[in-house]
Amino acid sequence: MIDLKVNGKDYSVDISSDMPILWVLRDVLGFTGTKFGCGLGVCGSCTVLIDGKAIRSCITPVSVIKDQHVISIEGVASEHSTIQKAWEELNVPQCGFCQPGQVISALALLKDNPDPTDADIDAAMSGNICRCGTYVRIRKAIHLAASMEKESINTDGI
């Protein structure tokens, strides 16, 4: 049995320790928002957060995440609504397949850099491929989410 914490809940699963996190999430726990794209860790559609760091779940075995918290796209709504509001406001997705990985990577960026430049965003998001080419909207949504967070902090501090 392997114990996991996913999206704030504890799970015990009877799986092989070399099973990729992607398949644990999708096939064992039923979190199907995280997508399988290339299977090589280069397209970004399988990105999840492990203790706040963006990782490619298709190539990362579950044994790597002992005592760490996994956040998949399903866990974003409760913990990071600002990024979703920005994505919705700017109508970022077209087909939407890559968007779970895009959102997760954006969250990791904003956690480490709450006021990114265009160059910061391009560098952080370069490992996420969007076949629809929504990169400009993604960049704008990240800037919007950053400004929404700043505004929230300023409003809360008054």
Side-chain angles (χ1 to χ4, degrees), residues 70-115:
V70 179
I71 297 178
S72 69
I73 192 66
E74 290 89 349
V76 171
S78 62
E79 295 192 26
H80 308 284
S81 61
T82 304
I83 196 86
Q84 286 182 302
K85 288 176 187 169
W87 243 247
E88 290 170 12
E89 188 170 319
L90 297 176
N91 295 314
V92 172
Q94 272 186 293
C95 82
F97 190 84
C98 71
Q99 294 307 306
Q102 300 280 4
V103 167
I104 295 289
S105 292
L107 288 171
L109 166 63
L110 291 174
K111 179 183 173 287
D112 291 338
N113 183 352
D115 192 21

Side-chain angles (χ1 to χ4, degrees), residues 60-73:
T60 306
V62 71
S63 60
V64 169
I65 59 170
K66 288 184 179 178
D67 301 321
Q68 295 176 315
H69 186 189
V70 179
I71 297 178
S72 69
I73 192 66

Side-chain angles (χ1 to χ4, degrees), residues 13-31:
V13 291
D14 187 13
I15 54 169
S16 171
S17 64
D18 64 348
M19 179 182 257
I21 295 167
L22 173 67
W23 301 118
V24 175
L25 291 171
R26 290 184 61 81
D27 292 350
V28 179
L29 300 177
F31 294 113

